[in-house]
Amino acid sequence: SSFVGSVRMCIRDSAEANILYPRNVCKSPILTNRASGFSLFFFFMKLIGITTETIFDGEAERIALLLDYGLDQMHIRKPGYLSNDIATLLQQIPEKYHSRLVLHDHFDLAARYSVAGLHLNRRNPQPPTGYKGMIGRSCHSIEEVKNSTDVDYCFLSPIYDSISKKGYTSHFSAEILTNACREGIITERVFALGGITPELLPQLQEWGFGGAVMLGSLWEEKSPEKMQSRMSKLTFSSLT
């Protein structure tokens, strides 16, 4: 698992931000025999986290650890907080990680902290005028995904029963997701959200998702050691 984590980090460092942009699938040669020209290709599903809705002591350090342990992006989603609160959290996160953060609120902070992008939602349905960074959107139906051609990526949810929102159950059958993949609706620019755990990643890959988004399962572990173990399982399961 440490090998897989190291490989992911090497690719991230050398892929010139491809790991951040869902339209560019991270499929890179890891092992190459120069004599034969043979290359072994690995495909990684992108692993994306979403913060809890509340700010807690030590959160910035936890976010940095998760990004160190193999998470590709962290989405900052805290709808109940003011711009100054989010700015304080961003200041506490080391600057080297800012290019792997995405804001769900307070879009005015994007330029100041050089974040990766903005995530549109019901509270913030439009990006700021002239914004040039990555833009995504949350979708809750196949039709919404099909019509979201104006953004770089989509979250589709809930794929499985939500861990963080009790009673928020899956909206999609295996048949619906299989057909959406065959029709080219679910592609590498669509990320699965809702009830995601390591053992489910292979099935998401079969359905054509470019990545997995986690909230409940990501924050269940409290200690750094258990967080690292969880991320090791996720990074290994994301490899095909």
Side-chain angles (χ1 to χ4, degrees):
S1 59
S2 60
F3 168 73
V4 174
S6 299
V7 168
R8 291 181 68 92
M9 291 177 186
C10 288
I11 291 177
R12 182 186 298 118
D13 291 341
S14 64
E16 298 180 345
N18 280 3
I19 200 74
L20 295 177
Y21 288 84
R23 65 184 119 187
N24 298 325
V25 180
C26 185
K27 189 171 184 180
S28 303
I30 307 303
L31 302 175
T32 300
N33 184 310
R34 293 184 179 180
S36 65
F38 171 80
S39 294
L40 174 63
F41 281 81
F42 288 159
F43 169 76
F44 293 106
M45 291 189 75
K46 295 180 180 66
L47 301 176
I48 297 176
I50 301 179
T51 62
T52 61
E53 292 192 5
T54 58
I55 292 176
F56 58 88
D57 289 341
E59 182 172 13
E61 290 80 5
R62 290 277 295 276
I63 290 172
L65 281 176
L66 287 167
L67 292 169
D68 269 342
Y69 291 157
L71 198 71
D72 295 310
Q73 285 182 348
M74 180 64 77
H75 283 234
I76 309 297
R77 181 185 180 277
K78 298 186 180 290
Y81 287 85
L82 301 176
S83 180
N84 285 344
D85 299 321
I86 303 304
T88 298
L89 176 61
L90 293 174
Q91 289 166 10
Q92 293 171 347
I93 299 171
E95 188 175 350
K96 67 179 181 177
Y97 299 114
H98 288 185
S99 63
R100 293 162 61 191
L101 303 177
V102 175
L103 298 180
H104 285 228
D105 298 280
H106 305 301
F107 291 170
D108 56 299
L109 299 175
R112 190 192 316 175
Y113 293 98
S114 302
V115 299
L118 305 176
H119 190 88
L120 307 182
N121 47 66
R122 292 171 184 171
R123 300 181 306 280
N124 306 287
Q126 297 294 330
T129 302
Y131 180 73
K132 301 296 185 183
M134 180 179 65
I135 297 175
R137 174 181 291 124
S138 294
C139 297
H140 301 92
S141 71
I142 299 298
E143 194 65 22
E144 278 187 276
V145 172
K146 189 175 180 179
N147 294 331
S148 291
T149 57
D150 58 331
V151 294
D152 296 297
Y153 71 91
C154 299
F155 288 175
L156 180 62
S157 69
I159 302 302
Y160 300 103
D161 294 351
S162 175
I163 296 171
S164 60
K165 298 179 181 179
K166 302 304 179 185
Y168 192 42
T169 56
S170 172
H171 287 185
F172 309 96
S173 67
E175 182 181 6
I176 288 174
L177 295 172
T178 298
N179 288 338
C181 178
R182 288 173 179 168
E183 294 171 14
I185 299 171
I186 295 179
T187 65
E188 70 274 2
R189 62 182 290 275
V190 182
F191 294 170
L193 169 63
I196 308 300
T197 54
E199 61 271 15
L200 297 174
L201 295 187
Q203 180 61 70
L204 296 178
Q205 291 172 329
E206 287 187 21
W207 285 328
F209 286 101
V213 188
M214 293 152 290
L215 198 170
S217 64
L218 198 63
W219 299 102
E220 285 179 329
E221 309 298 353
K222 304 301 181 184
S223 71
E225 294 77 17
K226 289 184 177 180
M227 285 170 55
Q228 184 174 23
S229 176
R230 172 59 62 91
M231 284 306 306
S232 294
K233 292 178 182 177
L234 284 166
T235 54
F236 188 80
S237 297
S238 72
L239 171 64
T240 60

